[in-house]
Amino acid sequence: MDLAARAFPALLLGAVNTVIYCVSSFPIALLLGLLLAVMASSRFIWFRAPARTFIEVIRGTPMIAQIFILYYGIGALLGVYGLAGLINAWTAGIISLAINYAAYEAEIFRAGLLSVDKGQTEAAYSLGLTGSQSFFRIVLPQAIPFMIPPFVNDFIYMLKDSAIVSVISGTELTSVLTFWVTRNTSDSFPLYFIAIVFYLLMSLPTSYIARLFERRLRAAF
Amino acid sequence: MSDIYDASQVAVEELQARAVARRHTWLLVLDLLFGAVAILLVLAFFFYLYAFRQLLLLYLPVFLDGTRITVLISLASVIFAVVFGLIGVAGRLSRFSVLRWLATLYVEVVRGTPILVQLLLWYYGVATALTQMSIDPYRLVYSLATTLQMNSLFQDPNFDPYLFGIIGLSFNYGAYLTEVFRSGILSVERGQTEAGLSLGLNSGQIMRHIIFPQAIRVVVPPFTNNFITLIQDSSLLSILGIVELEHQTFGLALPQVDPNNKMFVFIFGALFYLILCYPLSLLARYLEARIARAY
């Protein structure tokens, strides 16, 4: 119990860092995902093919490989130009989380945009709206309610997947946990308990909110 | 008057058609150009592999060995994950509230925590606790295998990471598969069960002959998707010291002095994962499309 009391502040700080990682990379993932979704559903193969390739490659490789490529590979390449300072655990973690999730958000955006009836776009065109106007004012606002539950789900996944930042020595909940566990292997169960409770405290309320949203949405339609 | 109007209309239409045709030619040119650029890029990638052919040929056996371990671990884990998932779904759909409650706890806790933390818990926490109780899983398995006259399979004393890695991975995916199985079973209409009951089948027969054949169609695509993520998550076992594909990759890449070589080794390792996972994801999509078409 003494050990748990000593480790608690560090673990709490780790949990805060986990949230910071996710909160800062999720908006980037959303923006990139929207861009990818628009590109992937474009008529022009110049946009479509690169977006599809990007999505397939990101979804086909493990995140740990991506984060290693970014942190060690790109870090070393940038080091040649004296830019090694650009890649540290924070930037590499946030960028790789954002890139990884962008591929998944793109699929959600695509499904959401497809769920809006084509007649809406046609109506917008017949009213004289331009392509971007009809997209941003007609299609996107109608698609967003359908996309919020999967987005929240993905945010919860990200809260958990951000544990991977610990392999590139970023400071978040799992790396703090590993730090304390490797120094107190004989009685480490309280540490695991605290960490698991922290993760559950982060993810369960979020998933509850998502479920509430979903129910309200179903009631609305 | 109307003749003039018609003539002008025809002229306008012709102009429009010509404009469209011109635009189509432009698009065709652009598409052809894209094809050329894509071929060039693919060639460039092969040239990239060719430029590093010495590293490639040197490391290829090592990567293939890592891939073998990754595939074996994934297959073993998916088998145990199905077992965990079946136990979980039996609990979730049980008549006894204690079992339902336990299964829900299992699913929520496992899905609410990172797999990395779970693996650490199994490998450091549970293994240490077993050692403190003076239980050595390796010796247990070895002596069991000796009585079965197959202990040559378990010669590697570095057994703990494999055991707890596979248990941790399958325990985690068991929770996801519980939900997949549950949604599959619930997707079969209640009337089917009632029809089975009215035909005089017992609950085991209904499960086997009525629900299972219909649920499996719904279950297979998400199951395949879970298998793909399981292959990718098996890369986390490298943290426990299992020398699989990702472990081989960073084991070979990190000592590289030349940044280009380092990058190449990382990309080469990721390529193996892509080769493993992409066909499976195509298969999952095909199955999804087929099931969507059936209804």
Side-chain angles (χ1 to χ4, degrees):
Chain A
M1 231 46 287
D2 180 45
L3 173 68
R6 272 189 295 135
F8 189 82
L11 287 169
L12 186 63
L13 191 70
V16 171
N17 278 349
T18 292
V19 174
I20 293 175
Y21 269 109
C22 295
V23 168
S24 41
S25 52
F26 202 68
I28 308 174
L30 284 183
L31 282 179
L32 262 178
L34 180 59
L35 182 71
L36 280 174
V38 172
M39 279 172 73
S41 49
S42 160
R43 279 180 300 141
F44 301 107
I45 195 164
W46 282 90
F47 295 121
R48 204 170 58 224
R52 288 294 338 157
T53 315
F54 181 84
I55 292 172
E56 294 302 337
V57 168
I58 293 293
R59 287 169 49 125
T61 50
M63 189 160 175
I64 190 168
Q66 295 160 16
I67 207 167
F68 276 146
I69 286 179
L70 190 64
Y71 186 67
Y72 293 113
I74 306 237
L77 283 179
L78 284 179
V80 178
Y81 306 103
L83 293 171
L86 282 182
I87 297 289
N88 55 40
W90 279 101
T91 53
I94 289 172
I95 293 172
S96 61
L97 276 174
I99 286 179
N100 188 276
Y101 272 82
Y104 292 90
E105 306 318 319
E107 294 291 294
I108 296 175
F109 271 117
R110 210 166 62 91
L113 295 178
L114 283 179
S115 78
V116 177
D117 196 43
K118 212 171 147 51
Q120 299 281 335
T121 320
E122 284 162 7
Y125 282 136
S126 70
L127 286 173
L129 268 63
T130 65
S132 68
Q133 273 176 336
S134 79
F135 178 74
F136 281 109
R137 299 195 184 170
I138 308 287
V139 177
L140 195 58
Q142 292 187 67
I144 280 176
F146 283 101
M147 299 188 286
I148 283 177
F151 281 152
V152 177
N153 266 337
D154 267 12
F155 185 73
I156 297 168
Y157 274 108
M158 188 187 255
L159 280 173
K160 290 177 284 161
D161 270 356
S162 68
I164 216 144
V165 177
S166 66
V167 301
I168 53 161
S169 65
T171 315
E172 46 71 67
L173 188 45
T174 304
S175 67
V176 175
L177 174 73
T178 337
F179 177 88
W180 282 83
V181 162
T182 46
R183 279 157 190 76
N184 308 282
T185 33
S186 53
D187 50 352
S188 53
F189 274 108
L191 301 173
Y192 286 111
F193 184 73
I194 298 175
I196 285 174
V197 166
F198 274 147
Y199 273 114
L200 289 178
L201 278 180
M202 287 189 274
S203 64
L204 286 185
T206 325
S207 80
Y208 178 73
I209 293 169
R211 234 171 280 166
L212 205 72
F213 234 108
E214 224 179 325
R215 210 171 301 150
R216 267 180 49 187
L217 246 173
R218 278 215 195 117
F221 283 93
Chain B
M1 184 65 197
S2 100
D3 281 358
I4 295 172
Y5 176 76
D6 279 353
S8 71
Q9 189 71 13
V10 166
V12 165
E13 270 170 15
E14 210 179 293
L15 276 177
Q16 277 174 345
R18 236 183 261 165
V20 167
R22 212 180 303 139
R23 230 176 108 218
H24 275 281
T25 0
W26 262 110
L27 282 181
L28 199 66
V29 169
L30 269 178
D31 282 2
L32 286 176
L33 208 61
F34 180 83
V37 170
I39 290 169
L40 270 181
L41 283 176
V42 171
L43 284 180
F45 184 70
F46 279 111
F47 182 72
Y48 180 66
L49 293 182
Y50 177 74
F52 288 91
R53 61 191 174 283
Q54 279 168 328
L55 276 185
L56 191 149
L57 288 176
L58 191 61
Y59 292 158
L60 188 63
V62 184
F63 277 115
L64 286 178
D65 189 54
T67 313
R68 183 177 63 92
I69 301 284
T70 291
V71 169
L72 285 178
I73 286 174
S74 307
L75 287 178
S77 303
V78 84
I79 290 168
F80 286 112
V82 168
V83 174
F84 279 120
L86 289 177
I87 295 172
V89 79
R92 285 219 64 163
L93 299 176
S94 162
R95 274 177 294 146
F96 305 105
S97 58
V98 179
L99 291 182
R100 267 206 313 273
W101 189 79
L102 275 176
T104 312
L105 186 75
Y106 163 58
V107 169
E108 289 295 327
V109 169
V110 167
R111 299 208 312 173
T113 49
I115 182 170
L116 194 54
V117 171
Q118 290 167 29
L119 288 174
L120 293 174
L121 178 59
W122 282 104
Y123 183 55
Y124 292 109
V126 175
T128 315
L130 286 181
T131 313
Q132 281 167 351
M133 289 188 279
S134 58
I135 298 173
D136 184 0
Y138 173 61
R139 185 161 307 158
L140 277 180
V141 169
Y142 191 81
S143 51
L144 181 71
T146 309
T147 42
L148 295 174
Q149 300 195 332
M150 48 191 280
N151 62 12
S152 57
L153 285 176
F154 299 97
Q155 289 300 329
D156 188 4
N158 187 26
F159 179 68
D160 271 15
Y162 287 93
L163 176 72
F164 290 110
I166 289 174
I167 290 181
L169 204 58
S170 48
F171 193 72
N172 181 72
Y173 274 89
Y176 288 93
L177 289 186
T178 298
E179 288 301 281
V180 169
F181 293 155
R182 194 175 74 104
S183 66
I185 289 172
L186 292 183
S187 77
V188 180
E189 238 183 296
R190 230 193 119 56
Q192 301 278 334
T193 316
E194 284 160 7
L197 282 174
S198 69
L199 286 173
L201 303 177
N202 62 32
S203 60
Q205 284 172 323
I206 290 175
M207 203 37 152
R208 229 169 335 124
H209 297 301
I210 296 183
I211 297 187
F212 183 74
Q214 296 184 66
I216 193 108
R217 297 156 36 85
V218 185
V219 164
V220 163
F223 180 82
T224 318
N225 279 329
N226 268 299
F227 185 51
I228 296 167
T229 44
L230 187 142
I231 292 175
Q232 296 186 5
D233 275 350
S234 76
S235 62
L236 291 174
L237 299 189
S238 59
I239 308 295
L240 307 186
I242 296 181
V243 191
E244 41 70 82
L245 186 49
E246 190 56 39
H247 198 289
Q248 300 281 27
T249 308
F250 68 73
L252 291 175
L254 291 185
Q256 302 287 337
V257 182
D258 183 2
N260 290 314
N261 284 352
K262 188 179 272 190
M263 196 70 184
F264 172 75
V265 176
F266 274 126
I267 288 175
F268 196 45
L271 200 61
F272 277 85
Y273 276 106
L274 201 60
I275 292 169
L276 278 181
C277 294
Y278 187 58
L280 277 174
S281 91
L282 286 183
L283 176 72
R285 244 171 281 168
Y286 167 73
L287 291 172
E288 259 165 38
R290 235 184 68 169
I291 280 175
R293 203 155 7 106
Y295 285 104

